Amino acid sequence: TEASKPTLFQIIYHHLNTLTMKFTATLIALCAASANGFSINKPAVKTTTVLNAVATEWDLADIGRSVRIEGSSREHWEFPDPNQEIVQVGVDSNGRPVETLIELWIGPDWTPMKVKAYTEDGMMRPIQTLIGTRNKAAAIDVNNTGPGDFPLNAAAAYAKPSMVQQRADLLTANAGRYIEGGAVHSVNFDASVEQVQVCLYTDTRQLNAQVELLNGPNNFKQKFEVFTNNGLLNSLYVVFNSPGAGNVVRVTNLAPLEFPCKAFIASV
């Protein structure tokens, strides 16, 4: 009947009431989301990983005196104790690329070991290496070979017994890989591996080799190039941070055929 039909006013009132309820519900949901997003009292939960636990040994503050080195400048550390042999060297940045030359000085004019190091991101993949002093009074020189607007932070100190033992354990963990002069050897690591350690040495002959951390075809993220006149007294030991998947460690023996080297590669 005509009396039972809703009037125009009733129809408009019903629609307005429905829209008001929907708007109110949406506003309440947005307020709740904003409260969660801007809460300052809720503590952040940091995931603990193997890398977080092990990397503390390579924190510059944990190594020793840290120095900021501007581009095209250098700094050196003295190591006068002949009873200690292994020096730990760490170099990082605020996320910018790092190019550096690390040299071992023994005496006023003898540099038996030089290590050129590069990393694409000095925060994610800092430079981490152990260098032997041949049980002599020596100095470690860190030269920032990058441009002036790419500073770096560096620290060097006698290595702790745990670091020395970690290096020694790598040499006994497996038989290593014999690499002739001019040869290349690569090892793949899955995403679960967060740090990789590499040691190169010879049987007293010269060591001239390159170690790279790649992520993708020929896309190196970090690189070390070493030259020493005695690869037994001054072997190269480095530790790579390897976050993510698709990481490959590639070793290239840059020396002639008659100067082979041996490579030990393993996860930390």
Side-chain angles (χ1 to χ4, degrees):
T1 62
E2 294 293 333
S4 62
K5 292 182 178 180
T7 64
L8 179 61
F9 174 79
Q10 290 175 326
I11 293 173
I12 293 174
Y13 176 79
H14 174 73
H15 282 292
L16 287 175
N17 190 37
T18 302
L19 290 173
T20 301
M21 292 176 65
K22 290 182 178 179
F23 175 77
T24 302
T26 303
L27 184 61
I28 292 172
L30 289 173
C31 289
S34 299
N36 291 333
F38 292 95
S39 175
I40 61 175
N41 295 322
K42 185 178 179 181
V45 178
K46 185 176 180 180
T47 304
T48 301
T49 65
V50 175
L51 180 58
N52 293 333
V54 177
T56 56
E57 295 185 338
W58 286 100
D59 287 343
L60 298 193
D62 192 63
I63 294 175
R65 177 175 66 96
S66 175
V67 177
R68 176 186 170 98
I69 305 175
E70 303 294 335
S72 302
S73 60
R74 64 203 311 157
E75 181 67 31
H76 79 280
W77 287 256
E78 299 286 344
F79 297 95
D81 188 359
N83 296 316
Q84 300 190 66
E85 200 261 334
I86 303 297
V87 172
Q88 181 180 5
V89 181
V91 179
D92 68 14
S93 72
N94 61 355
R96 293 184 176 186
V98 170
E99 294 180 64
T100 184
L101 173 63
I102 304 171
E103 296 178 317
L104 171 67
W105 293 356
I106 299 178
D109 56 1
W110 185 31
T111 309
M113 184 179 187
K114 296 183 179 183
V115 179
K116 295 180 181 179
Y118 166 82
T119 179
E120 185 180 75
D121 186 333
M123 181 181 293
M124 182 180 295
R125 300 179 183 87
I127 294 167
Q128 303 166 150
T129 183
L130 299 181
I131 294 178
T133 63
R134 305 191 181 191
N135 291 109
K136 298 180 183 295
I140 296 294
D141 181 83
V142 178
N143 185 357
N144 185 350
T145 56
D149 50 350
F150 284 168
L152 57 82
N153 306 302
Y158 282 117
K160 298 176 181 178
S162 60
M163 298 299 299
V164 177
Q165 187 60 44
Q166 179 175 303
R167 174 178 174 270
D169 291 342
L170 175 62
L171 298 177
T172 58
N174 56 67
R177 177 65 179 251
Y178 182 85
I179 305 176
E180 292 185 342
V184 179
H185 174 58
S186 300
V187 179
N188 300 319
F189 291 91
D190 58 38
S192 64
V193 176
E194 296 183 318
Q195 277 195 326
V196 177
Q197 54 184 337
V198 180
C199 185
L200 304 180
Y201 83 94
T202 67
D203 57 352
T204 73
R205 283 179 279 189
Q206 73 174 35
L207 173 63
N208 186 14
Q210 180 176 275
V211 185
E212 300 166 292
L213 176 70
L214 296 91
N215 192 276
N218 288 322
N219 181 22
F220 63 87
K221 300 296 184 180
Q222 194 169 354
K223 177 168 65 174
F224 293 86
E225 183 178 332
V226 59
F227 177 83
T228 176
N229 68 332
N230 190 322
L232 182 62
L233 296 178
N234 281 122
S235 60
L236 176 70
Y237 177 85
V238 298
V239 175
F240 292 105
N241 289 356
S242 55
N247 291 298
V248 178
V249 171
R250 182 171 68 186
V251 179
T252 305
N253 189 344
L254 302 175
L257 184 65
E258 60 270 21
F259 292 102
C261 68
K262 204 167 189 179
F264 294 82
I265 306 172
S267 60
V268 176

